[in-house]
Amino acid sequence: MTIPQVDPEIIDFYTDTFDEATRLTATADGMLEMARTQELLRRHLPPGPAAILDVGGGPGAHARWLAADGYRVHLVDPVVKHVAQAAEAGIAAEVGDARSLTAGDGSYDATLLLGPLYHLLERADRDQALAEARRVTVPGGLILAAAINRYASLFEHTATTWLDRESVRDAVTDILATGVHEPGRKGFTAAYFHTGQELADEMRAAGLRDVRVYAIEGPTWSLLKAAEQHTGEPVSLNSPLFRAALAAARAAEPYPDLLAASSHLLATGRC
């Protein structure tokens, strides 16, 4: 079997350009993503010491708190730097690809795909990643997959005012039309942006049942980004604005129409 290869641009981006280790702690919208992801995972995961495979787990931002919660966590990521950072934090980790996992069939109680789907531009590759996640998860086990929302870049670049720049506006327009941030474009690496319905459809096509899609940050995350961008001051976890954004994310959960306003989406499904 041919071993899949991750686009070198993606590896280079996370190795040399972007610090994934601080993404969920350096900004208010990142902290909101972390808080809500923790909230949703704790709601759905089986109790510890269940075994969890964290595919595309980066430097271990989620693996660390899951381990602290009593879970047995194994992390897989294609970026050598990330695997080393996770290992340094005491997380069992290996270099690998979401489309070709080394784990045996039914090895884990739950599998996380909190990054791979938005760096696999082709539907066939995303289908393969979901198929592999299902293979290594026990029957009846849980798969949780994250995606970048199709409309996130529109909200983000309005908040930063970068949408006023022609090159950024062109890139955002293309993402809205196709879902693809093309390789070689500045600002981010090659990526795919889902709609909520598309993410649910891909989960169901993988044979998963009881699929539900959540808005992770909810509809007001870009207000946090705008506040930090234009005041030059951080928005703290204890600030009224952060608490209001967190409350908005929770209040929005019953309303699928509001999925389109979140930065990231989280889909849950059972094998």
Side-chain angles (χ1 to χ4, degrees), residues 3-61:
I3 299 175
Q5 298 296 315
V6 176
D7 187 333
E9 175 184 309
I10 296 171
I11 302 298
D12 291 345
F13 179 78
Y14 286 107
T15 301
D16 301 320
T17 304
F18 186 76
D19 185 11
E20 179 67 17
T22 62
R23 185 176 69 82
L24 299 177
T25 58
T27 64
D29 60 299
M31 290 187 288
L32 179 62
E33 180 187 342
M34 171 61 93
R36 280 284 292 163
T37 301
Q38 287 179 315
E39 186 174 274
L40 291 167
L41 265 57
R42 284 173 170 149
R43 185 188 307 174
H44 288 282
L45 287 171
I52 297 177
L53 184 63
D54 187 4
V55 183

Side-chain angles (χ1 to χ4, degrees), residues 97-138:
D97 190 291
R99 295 162 292 178
S100 181
L101 299 172
T102 61
D105 295 358
S107 299
Y108 291 90
D109 299 300
T111 298
L112 309 180
L113 292 167
L114 301 184
L117 295 190
Y118 50 80
H119 287 310
L120 295 172
L121 277 61
E122 299 297 329
R123 171 65 187 267
D125 287 322
R126 298 194 298 276
D127 287 346
Q128 181 61 29
L130 286 166
E132 278 289 271
R134 185 182 179 194
R135 178 185 66 78
V136 303
T137 306
V138 297

Side-chain angles (χ1 to χ4, degrees), residues 57-169:
H62 296 299
R64 298 179 199 197
W65 66 262
L66 286 166
D69 277 4
Y71 290 99
R72 293 175 288 126
V73 185
H74 187 83
L75 182 146
V76 178
D77 197 89
V79 180
V80 173
K81 175 184 174 182
H82 289 171
V83 171
Q85 290 171 317
E88 287 171 5
I91 303 299
E94 65 175 292
V95 175
D97 190 291
R99 295 162 292 178
S100 181
L101 299 172
T102 61
D105 295 358
S107 299
Y108 291 90
D109 299 300
T111 298
L112 309 180
L113 292 167
L114 301 184
L117 295 190
Y118 50 80
H119 287 310
L120 295 172
L121 277 61
E122 299 297 329
R123 171 65 187 267
D125 287 322
R126 298 194 298 276
D127 287 346
Q128 181 61 29
L130 286 166
E132 278 289 271
R134 185 182 179 194
R135 178 185 66 78
V136 303
T137 306
V138 297
L142 191 67
I143 293 176
L144 302 103
I148 304 176
N149 177 36
R150 176 72 57 90
Y151 310 104
S153 59
L154 181 71
F155 291 102
E156 177 179 8
H157 295 307
T158 300
T160 62
T161 71
W162 294 350
L163 199 62
D164 194 43
R165 305 175 186 178
E166 184 177 1
S167 61
V168 173
R169 191 164 58 250

Side-chain angles (χ1 to χ4, degrees), residues 183-203:
R185 239 171 178 158
K186 293 182 178 179
F188 194 36
T189 187
Y192 189 80
F193 294 63
H194 285 78
T195 64
Q197 185 60 56
E198 186 177 31
L199 180 59
D201 289 346
E202 291 182 7
M203 294 282 282

